[in-house]
CSV table of all heavy atoms in Angstrom, one decimal:
chain,number,residue,atom,x,y,z
A,1,ASP,N,-17.9,14.2,-1.4
A,1,ASP,CA,-18.9,15.4,-1.3
A,1,ASP,C,-19.1,16.0,-2.7
A,1,ASP,O,-20.1,16.6,-3.0
A,1,ASP,CB,-18.4,16.4,-0.3
A,1,ASP,CG,-18.5,15.9,1.1
A,1,ASP,OD1,-19.2,14.9,1.4
A,1,ASP,OD2,-17.7,16.4,2.0
A,2,GLY,N,-18.0,15.9,-3.5
A,2,GLY,CA,-18.1,16.5,-4.9
A,2,GLY,C,-18.7,15.6,-5.9
A,2,GLY,O,-18.7,15.9,-7.1
A,3,GLY,N,-19.1,14.4,-5.5
A,3,GLY,CA,-19.8,13.5,-6.4
A,3,GLY,C,-18.8,12.6,-7.2
A,3,GLY,O,-19.2,12.0,-8.2
A,4,GLN,N,-17.5,12.5,-6.8
A,4,GLN,CA,-16.5,11.8,-7.5
A,4,GLN,C,-16.3,10.4,-6.8
A,4,GLN,O,-15.2,10.1,-6.5
A,4,GLN,CB,-15.2,12.6,-7.6
A,4,GLN,CG,-15.3,13.9,-8.3
A,4,GLN,CD,-15.8,13.8,-9.7
A,4,GLN,OE1,-15.6,12.9,-10.4
A,4,GLN,NE2,-16.5,14.9,-10.2
A,5,THR,N,-17.4,9.7,-6.6
A,5,THR,CA,-17.3,8.4,-5.9
A,5,THR,C,-16.4,7.4,-6.6
A,5,THR,O,-15.6,6.7,-6.0
A,5,THR,CB,-18.7,7.8,-5.7
A,5,THR,OG1,-19.5,8.8,-5.1
A,5,THR,CG2,-18.6,6.5,-4.9
A,6,TRP,N,-16.4,7.4,-7.9
A,6,TRP,CA,-15.6,6.5,-8.7
A,6,TRP,C,-14.1,6.7,-8.5
A,6,TRP,O,-13.3,5.7,-8.4
A,6,TRP,CB,-15.9,6.5,-10.2
A,6,TRP,CG,-15.6,7.8,-10.9
A,6,TRP,CD1,-16.2,9.0,-10.6
A,6,TRP,CD2,-14.6,8.1,-11.9
A,6,TRP,NE1,-15.7,10.0,-11.4
A,6,TRP,CE2,-14.7,9.4,-12.2
A,6,TRP,CE3,-13.7,7.3,-12.5
A,6,TRP,CZ2,-13.9,10.0,-13.2
A,6,TRP,CZ3,-12.9,7.8,-13.5
A,6,TRP,CH2,-13.0,9.2,-13.8
A,7,LEU,N,-13.7,7.9,-8.3
A,7,LEU,CA,-12.3,8.2,-8.0
A,7,LEU,C,-11.9,7.8,-6.6
A,7,LEU,O,-10.8,7.3,-6.4
A,7,LEU,CB,-12.0,9.7,-8.2
A,7,LEU,CG,-12.1,10.3,-9.6
A,7,LEU,CD1,-11.9,11.8,-9.5
A,7,LEU,CD2,-11.2,9.7,-10.5
A,8,VAL,N,-12.8,7.9,-5.7
A,8,VAL,CA,-12.5,7.4,-4.3
A,8,VAL,C,-12.3,5.9,-4.3
A,8,VAL,O,-11.4,5.4,-3.6
A,8,VAL,CB,-13.6,7.9,-3.4
A,8,VAL,CG1,-13.4,7.4,-2.0
A,8,VAL,CG2,-13.7,9.4,-3.3
A,9,ILE,N,-13.2,5.2,-5.0
A,9,ILE,CA,-13.1,3.8,-5.0
A,9,ILE,C,-11.7,3.3,-5.6
A,9,ILE,O,-11.0,2.5,-5.1
A,9,ILE,CB,-14.3,3.2,-5.8
A,9,ILE,CG1,-15.6,3.4,-5.1
A,9,ILE,CG2,-14.0,1.7,-6.1
A,9,ILE,CD1,-16.8,3.0,-5.9
A,10,ALA,N,-11.4,4.0,-6.7
A,10,ALA,CA,-10.1,3.7,-7.3
A,10,ALA,C,-8.9,4.0,-6.4
A,10,ALA,O,-7.9,3.3,-6.3
A,10,ALA,CB,-9.9,4.5,-8.6
A,11,GLY,N,-9.1,5.1,-5.6
A,11,GLY,CA,-8.0,5.5,-4.7
A,11,GLY,C,-7.9,4.5,-3.5
A,11,GLY,O,-6.8,4.2,-3.1
A,12,VAL,N,-9.0,4.0,-3.0
A,12,VAL,CA,-8.9,3.1,-1.9
A,12,VAL,C,-8.3,1.8,-2.4
A,12,VAL,O,-7.4,1.2,-1.7
A,12,VAL,CB,-10.3,2.8,-1.3
A,12,VAL,CG1,-10.3,1.7,-0.3
A,12,VAL,CG2,-10.8,4.1,-0.7
A,13,LEU,N,-8.7,1.3,-3.6
A,13,LEU,CA,-8.2,0.0,-4.1
A,13,LEU,C,-6.7,0.1,-4.4
A,13,LEU,O,-5.9,-0.8,-4.0
A,13,LEU,CB,-8.9,-0.4,-5.3
A,13,LEU,CG,-10.4,-0.8,-5.1
A,13,LEU,CD1,-11.1,-1.1,-6.5
A,13,LEU,CD2,-10.5,-2.0,-4.2
A,14,THR,N,-6.2,1.2,-5.0
A,14,THR,CA,-4.8,1.3,-5.3
A,14,THR,C,-4.0,1.6,-4.0
A,14,THR,O,-2.8,1.1,-3.9
A,14,THR,CB,-4.6,2.5,-6.3
A,14,THR,OG1,-5.2,3.7,-5.8
A,14,THR,CG2,-5.2,2.1,-7.6
A,15,SER,N,-4.6,2.2,-3.0
A,15,SER,CA,-3.9,2.3,-1.7
A,15,SER,C,-3.6,1.0,-1.1
A,15,SER,O,-2.5,0.8,-0.5
A,15,SER,CB,-4.7,3.2,-0.8
A,15,SER,OG,-4.9,4.5,-1.3
A,16,MET,N,-4.6,0.1,-1.2
A,16,MET,CA,-4.4,-1.3,-0.6
A,16,MET,C,-3.2,-2.0,-1.4
A,16,MET,O,-2.4,-2.6,-0.8
A,16,MET,CB,-5.7,-2.1,-0.8
A,16,MET,CG,-6.8,-1.5,0.1
A,16,MET,SD,-8.4,-2.2,-0.3
A,16,MET,CE,-8.1,-4.0,0.0
A,17,LEU,N,-3.2,-1.8,-2.7
A,17,LEU,CA,-2.2,-2.4,-3.5
A,17,LEU,C,-0.8,-1.8,-3.2
A,17,LEU,O,0.2,-2.5,-3.1
A,17,LEU,CB,-2.5,-2.3,-5.0
A,17,LEU,CG,-1.5,-2.8,-6.0
A,17,LEU,CD1,-1.3,-4.3,-5.8
A,17,LEU,CD2,-1.9,-2.5,-7.4
A,18,LEU,N,-0.8,-0.5,-3.0
A,18,LEU,CA,0.5,0.2,-2.8
A,18,LEU,C,1.1,-0.1,-1.4
A,18,LEU,O,2.3,0.1,-1.2
A,18,LEU,CB,0.3,1.7,-2.9
A,18,LEU,CG,1.5,2.6,-3.0
A,18,LEU,CD1,2.4,2.2,-4.1
A,18,LEU,CD2,1.1,4.1,-3.1
A,19,ALA,N,0.2,-0.6,-0.5
A,19,ALA,CA,0.8,-0.9,0.8
A,19,ALA,C,1.7,-2.1,0.8
A,19,ALA,O,2.6,-2.2,1.6
A,19,ALA,CB,-0.4,-1.3,1.8
A,20,PHE,N,1.6,-3.0,-0.3
A,20,PHE,CA,2.4,-4.2,-0.3
A,20,PHE,C,3.9,-3.8,-0.4
A,20,PHE,O,4.7,-4.4,0.3
A,20,PHE,CB,2.0,-5.1,-1.5
A,20,PHE,CG,2.9,-6.2,-1.8
A,20,PHE,CD1,3.0,-7.3,-1.0
A,20,PHE,CD2,3.8,-6.1,-2.8
A,20,PHE,CE1,3.8,-8.4,-1.2
A,20,PHE,CE2,4.7,-7.2,-3.1
A,20,PHE,CZ,4.7,-8.3,-2.2
A,21,PRO,N,4.4,-3.0,-1.4
A,21,PRO,CA,5.8,-2.7,-1.5
A,21,PRO,C,6.4,-2.0,-0.2
A,21,PRO,O,7.5,-2.3,0.2
A,21,PRO,CB,6.0,-1.8,-2.7
A,21,PRO,CG,4.6,-1.3,-3.0
A,21,PRO,CD,3.7,-2.3,-2.5
A,22,TYR,N,5.6,-1.2,0.4
A,22,TYR,CA,6.0,-0.6,1.7
A,22,TYR,C,6.2,-1.7,2.8
A,22,TYR,O,7.3,-1.7,3.5
A,22,TYR,CB,5.0,0.4,2.2
A,22,TYR,CG,4.7,1.6,1.2
A,22,TYR,CD1,3.4,2.1,1.1
A,22,TYR,CD2,5.8,2.2,0.5
A,22,TYR,CE1,3.2,3.1,0.2
A,22,TYR,CE2,5.5,3.2,-0.4
A,22,TYR,CZ,4.2,3.7,-0.5
A,22,TYR,OH,3.9,4.7,-1.3
A,23,LEU,N,5.2,-2.5,2.9
A,23,LEU,CA,5.3,-3.6,3.9
A,23,LEU,C,6.4,-4.6,3.6
A,23,LEU,O,7.0,-5.2,4.5
A,23,LEU,CB,4.0,-4.3,4.1
A,23,LEU,CG,2.8,-3.4,4.6
A,23,LEU,CD1,1.5,-4.2,4.7
A,23,LEU,CD2,3.2,-2.8,6.0
A,24,ARG,N,6.7,-4.8,2.3
A,24,ARG,CA,7.8,-5.7,2.0
A,24,ARG,C,9.1,-5.2,2.5
A,24,ARG,O,10.0,-5.9,3.0
A,24,ARG,CB,7.8,-5.9,0.4
A,24,ARG,CG,8.9,-6.8,0.0
A,24,ARG,CD,9.0,-6.9,-1.5
A,24,ARG,NE,9.3,-5.6,-2.2
A,24,ARG,CZ,9.4,-5.4,-3.5
A,24,ARG,NH1,9.3,-6.5,-4.3
A,24,ARG,NH2,9.7,-4.3,-4.0
A,25,VAL,N,9.3,-3.8,2.4
A,25,VAL,CA,10.6,-3.2,2.9
A,25,VAL,C,10.6,-3.4,4.4
A,25,VAL,O,11.7,-3.7,5.0
A,25,VAL,CB,10.7,-1.8,2.5
A,25,VAL,CG1,11.9,-1.1,3.1
A,25,VAL,CG2,10.7,-1.6,0.9
A,26,VAL,N,9.5,-3.2,5.1
A,26,VAL,CA,9.4,-3.3,6.5
A,26,VAL,C,9.8,-4.7,6.9
A,26,VAL,O,10.6,-5.0,7.9
A,26,VAL,CB,8.0,-3.0,7.1
A,26,VAL,CG1,7.9,-3.2,8.6
A,26,VAL,CG2,7.7,-1.5,6.8
A,27,VAL,N,9.3,-5.7,6.2
A,27,VAL,CA,9.6,-7.1,6.6
A,27,VAL,C,11.0,-7.4,6.3
A,27,VAL,O,11.7,-8.1,7.1
A,27,VAL,CB,8.7,-8.1,5.7
A,27,VAL,CG1,9.2,-9.5,5.8
A,27,VAL,CG2,7.2,-8.0,6.1
A,28,MET,N,11.6,-6.9,5.2
A,28,MET,CA,13.0,-7.1,5.0
A,28,MET,C,13.9,-6.5,6.1
A,28,MET,O,14.9,-7.1,6.5
A,28,MET,CB,13.4,-6.5,3.6
A,28,MET,CG,12.8,-7.3,2.4
A,28,MET,SD,13.3,-6.5,0.9
A,28,MET,CE,15.1,-6.6,1.0
A,29,MET,N,13.6,-5.3,6.5
A,29,MET,CA,14.4,-4.7,7.5
A,29,MET,C,14.4,-5.4,8.9
A,29,MET,O,15.4,-5.5,9.6
A,29,MET,CB,14.0,-3.2,7.7
A,29,MET,CG,14.3,-2.3,6.6
A,29,MET,SD,14.1,-0.6,7.0
A,29,MET,CE,12.4,-0.5,7.3
A,30,TRP,N,13.2,-5.9,9.2
A,30,TRP,CA,13.0,-6.4,10.6
A,30,TRP,C,13.0,-8.0,10.7
A,30,TRP,O,13.4,-8.5,11.8
A,30,TRP,CB,11.7,-5.9,11.2
A,30,TRP,CG,11.7,-4.4,11.4
A,30,TRP,CD1,11.1,-3.5,10.6
A,30,TRP,CD2,12.4,-3.7,12.5
A,30,TRP,NE1,11.4,-2.2,11.1
A,30,TRP,CE2,12.1,-2.4,12.3
A,30,TRP,CE3,13.1,-4.1,13.6
A,30,TRP,CZ2,12.6,-1.4,13.1
A,30,TRP,CZ3,13.6,-3.1,14.4
A,30,TRP,CH2,13.4,-1.8,14.2
A,31,LEU,N,12.6,-8.7,9.7
A,31,LEU,CA,12.5,-10.1,9.8
A,31,LEU,C,13.6,-10.9,9.0
A,31,LEU,O,13.5,-12.1,9.0
A,31,LEU,CB,11.1,-10.6,9.3
A,31,LEU,CG,9.9,-10.0,10.1
A,31,LEU,CD1,8.6,-10.5,9.6
A,31,LEU,CD2,10.1,-10.2,11.6
A,32,SER,N,14.5,-10.2,8.4
A,32,SER,CA,15.6,-10.8,7.7
A,32,SER,C,16.9,-10.7,8.6
A,32,SER,O,17.1,-9.7,9.3
A,32,SER,CB,15.8,-10.2,6.4
A,32,SER,OG,14.7,-10.4,5.6
A,33,GLU,N,17.8,-11.7,8.4
A,33,GLU,CA,19.0,-11.6,9.1
A,33,GLU,C,20.0,-10.7,8.4
A,33,GLU,O,20.1,-10.8,7.1
A,33,GLU,CB,19.7,-13.0,9.3
A,33,GLU,CG,18.9,-13.9,10.2
A,33,GLU,CD,19.0,-13.5,11.6
A,33,GLU,OE1,20.0,-12.8,12.0
A,33,GLU,OE2,18.1,-13.8,12.4
A,34,PRO,N,20.8,-9.9,9.1
A,34,PRO,CA,21.7,-9.0,8.4
A,34,PRO,C,22.9,-9.9,7.8
A,34,PRO,O,23.3,-10.8,8.4
A,34,PRO,CB,22.3,-8.1,9.4
A,34,PRO,CG,22.0,-8.8,10.7
A,34,PRO,CD,20.7,-9.6,10.5
């Protein structure tokens, strides 16, 4: 709404990238043998 579309695009793209390390921890906790 404030006209900062370029910041929103950067935010969405980096959010997608940042999901990887979180999901990696989830996979390690649940899909690996203790």
Side-chain angles (χ1 to χ4, degrees):
D1 293 340
Q4 304 298 331
T5 306
W6 64 293
L7 292 179
V8 176
I9 293 173
V12 172
L13 293 177
T14 54
S15 295
M16 294 167 60
L17 178 60
L18 191 58
F20 171 76
Y22 300 141
L23 296 178
R24 181 181 62 176
V25 177
V26 173
V27 170
M28 288 179 61
M29 287 192 299
W30 292 103
L31 300 182
S32 298
E33 291 292 333

